[in-house]
């Protein structure tokens, strides 16, 4: 017989969870492990809502474990540290992103790429080393090994910094890896949602020239005036696309819906790179000829390892890069999920866990 969530570990915890594929969230009493000698315990203050939370709540990725407490854009205050912890101290503001474990012995782990470890442990709906289920940040507190703790600079606002732990590192990592994080580079950003708007901000902070590519003409003013992009392309306008042909060093494609990518290849210079960070549910059509003609590359990228994630947060704090967020109370979370499914958010929901979770206890 499976152990009840509230009896798995010695430390009581409270959060909001889905019990089945309906994805409906409601209060849950569960438990977390005692603070080990290399562990950090934090009071959760804010937690961003990622689109993958919505997918996992409804088991659309076929990997969900119920009850499921989502949340992997977590920031809070350290309340307890283990005897061997040297990275942070009680009272520090910290974050936990998508990972809480990995094998620490494979080639990826030894190269600070825990995010590509075949045995990585996700922050929620995953199985921890001890065989118990991991629970995310829609909860009052969290405990994680110090390797997976991100230190937050004093000038980084917690609510606007939380989404950087997933959305931010998802776009920062490919910009750096593919040589697009340099002054003078011309970078295209496809999609102006939770990932896209942060990608524009990072690319501009790196000194790149940025072109936003969207199907929605109505987003032009937002892209240019609010986010600081240099130009805007309507991807359905063949004349605009033709004029911009061969002008981009690279493109970060953040769109998670099925969409044509062949027109995007025409925007790339020789040796240009199209990097996919969105995850459409169905295959995309790819013609080889445009790749051959321009020695172009189509690639993908996930989040970054822990070293790069800390680098990203520090860079963001230095250059005032934050997410545009709508802060909500815990009891609004199901409505937020419905709105997220309709892309009705600008640009990221963040739950004020610290000030609203306690009131939902029953």
């Amino acid at each position: 017989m499976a152990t009840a969530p509230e009896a798995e570990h010695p430390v009581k915890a409270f959060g909001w969870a889905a019990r089945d594929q309906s994805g409906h969230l409601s209060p849950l009493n569960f438990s977390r492990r005692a603070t080990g000698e290399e562990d950090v315990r934090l009071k959760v203050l804010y937690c961003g809502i990622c689109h993958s939370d919505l997918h996992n709540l409804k088991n659309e990725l076929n990997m969900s474990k119920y009850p499921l407490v989502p949340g992997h854009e977590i920031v809070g205050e350290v309340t307890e540290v283990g005897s061997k912890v040297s990275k942070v101290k009680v009272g520090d503001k910290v974050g936990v992103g998508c990972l809480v474990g990995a094998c620490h012995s494979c080639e990826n782990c030894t190269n600070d790429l825990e995010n590509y470890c075949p045995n990585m442990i996700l922050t929620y709906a995953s199985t921890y080393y001890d065989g118990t289920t991991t629970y995310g940040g829609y909860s009052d507190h969290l405990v994680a090994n110090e390797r997976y703790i991100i230190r937050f600079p004093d000038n980084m606002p917690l609510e606007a910094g939380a989404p950087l732990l997933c959305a931010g590192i998802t776009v920062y990592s490919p910009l750096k890896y593919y040589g697009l994080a340099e002054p003078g580079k011309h970078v295209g950003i496809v999609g102006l949602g939770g990932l896209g708007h942060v990608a524009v901000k990072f690319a501009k902070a790196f000194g790149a020239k940025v072109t936003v590519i969207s199907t929605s003409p109505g987003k032009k003013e937002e892209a240019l005036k609010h986010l600081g992009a240099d130009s805007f392309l309507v991807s359905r306008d063949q004349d605009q696309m033709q004029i911009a042909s061969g002008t981009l060093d690279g493109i970060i494609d953040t769109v998670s819906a099925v969409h044509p990518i062949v027109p995007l290849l025409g925007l790339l210079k020789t040796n240009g790179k199209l990097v996919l960070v969105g995850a459409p549910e169905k295959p995309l059509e790819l013609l080889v000829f445009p790749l051959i003609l321009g020695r172009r590359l189509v690639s993908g990228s996930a989040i970054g390892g822990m070293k790069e994630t800390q680098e990203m947060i520090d860079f963001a704090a230095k250059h005032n890069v934050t997410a545009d967020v709508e802060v909500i109370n815990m009891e609004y979370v199901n409505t937020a999920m419905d709105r997220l499914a309709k892309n009705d958010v600008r640009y990221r929901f963040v739950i004020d866990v610290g000030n609203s979770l306690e009131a939902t206890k029953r």
Side-chain angles (χ1 to χ4, degrees):
M1 180 180 294
T3 305
E6 64 269 26
E8 281 186 322
H9 297 292
V11 183
K12 293 181 179 180
F14 174 72
W16 275 47
R19 270 70 169 187
D20 53 42
Q21 291 184 207
S22 71
H24 182 80
L25 291 152
S26 59
L28 174 75
N29 290 303
F30 63 107
S31 57
R32 297 205 185 270
R33 69 179 185 273
T35 306
E37 59 184 14
E38 296 180 356
D39 284 338
V40 174
R41 188 176 302 277
L42 60 135
K43 176 184 178 182
V44 178
L45 299 177
Y46 295 96
C47 186
I49 296 180
C50 178
H51 211 283
S52 62
D53 293 346
L54 185 59
H55 289 310
N56 281 305
L57 286 172
K58 297 179 179 295
N59 197 28
E60 292 173 350
L61 305 178
N62 296 313
M63 56 186 290
S64 300
K65 298 179 180 181
Y66 299 101
L68 186 151
V69 177
H72 59 210
E73 297 176 348
I74 307 159
V75 292
E77 182 176 326
V78 176
T79 59
E80 186 179 14
V81 297
S83 59
K84 293 185 177 181
V85 171
S86 58
K87 192 174 186 178
V88 295
K89 64 184 184 302
V90 172
D92 285 352
K93 300 301 188 298
V94 297
V96 175
C98 302
L99 302 179
V100 292
C103 77
H104 302 157
S105 60
C106 70
E107 183 177 358
N108 285 325
C109 284
T110 55
N111 287 309
D112 297 309
L113 293 171
E114 302 95 338
N115 54 307
Y116 294 116
C117 173
N119 295 308
M120 65 178 175
I121 301 173
L122 300 176
T123 303
Y124 68 85
S126 193
T127 302
Y128 202 63
Y129 303 112
D130 59 5
T132 60
T133 299
T134 58
Y135 298 105
Y138 296 16
S139 58
D140 54 358
H141 70 278
L142 189 85
V143 59
N145 183 282
E146 72 168 329
R147 179 170 181 157
Y148 297 92
I149 295 291
I150 299 299
R151 301 181 302 273
F152 260 57
D154 291 339
N155 65 322
M156 172 62 72
L158 300 185
E159 66 275 23
L164 300 183
L165 294 168
C166 178
I169 188 60
T170 296
V171 296
Y172 180 95
S173 185
L175 284 169
K176 291 280 288 188
Y177 181 78
Y178 290 103
L180 302 174
E182 301 173 8
K185 293 292 185 180
H186 191 172
V187 179
I189 306 297
V190 184
L192 204 59
L195 292 173
H197 89 286
V198 175
V200 173
K201 292 184 179 185
F202 271 121
K204 289 298 295 181
F206 284 129
K209 180 180 179 181
V210 177
T211 294
V212 170
I213 306 161
S214 174
T215 59
S216 304
K219 291 186 177 181
K220 181 176 181 178
E221 183 175 356
E222 175 77 2
L224 300 180
K225 294 187 177 180
H226 176 66
L227 296 174
D230 298 283
S231 56
F232 185 89
L233 286 177
V234 178
S235 56
R236 292 171 176 163
D237 188 320
Q238 294 184 5
D239 290 338
Q240 288 188 26
M241 296 290 280
Q242 181 60 39
I243 292 171
S245 177
T247 61
L248 302 181
D249 295 290
I251 296 173
I252 305 296
D253 186 340
T254 70
V255 176
S256 292
V258 175
H259 61 289
I261 61 171
V262 172
L264 301 175
L265 297 175
L267 299 173
L268 294 172
K269 298 177 182 178
T270 301
N271 299 320
K273 309 166 184 75
L274 171 60
V275 187
L276 306 173
V277 297
E281 296 177 6
K282 297 180 181 179
L284 301 177
E285 184 181 66
L286 175 62
L287 299 180
V288 176
F289 202 54
L291 301 181
I292 295 174
L293 284 180
R295 197 163 67 181
R296 298 177 178 111
L297 174 72
V298 176
S299 183
S301 183
I303 57 170
M306 302 315 301
K307 180 179 179 180
E308 187 175 45
T309 303
Q310 184 66 63
E311 174 192 302
M312 178 272 304
I313 285 289
D314 293 340
F315 178 90
K318 181 178 180 180
H319 295 274
N320 297 313
V321 176
T322 57
D324 289 10
V325 301
E326 179 178 337
V327 180
I328 63 169
N329 291 330
M330 192 74 236
E331 60 189 7
Y332 187 78
V333 69
N334 287 304
T335 301
M337 290 296 176
D338 290 339
R339 286 179 55 191
L340 180 59
K342 301 172 184 175
N343 293 317
D344 178 23
V345 57
R346 182 180 173 276
Y347 287 95
R348 207 74 165 184
F349 286 118
V350 173
I351 307 168
D352 184 354
V353 178
N355 288 317
S356 67
L357 180 65
E358 185 71 22
T360 68
K361 281 188 177 181
R362 295 173 180 171

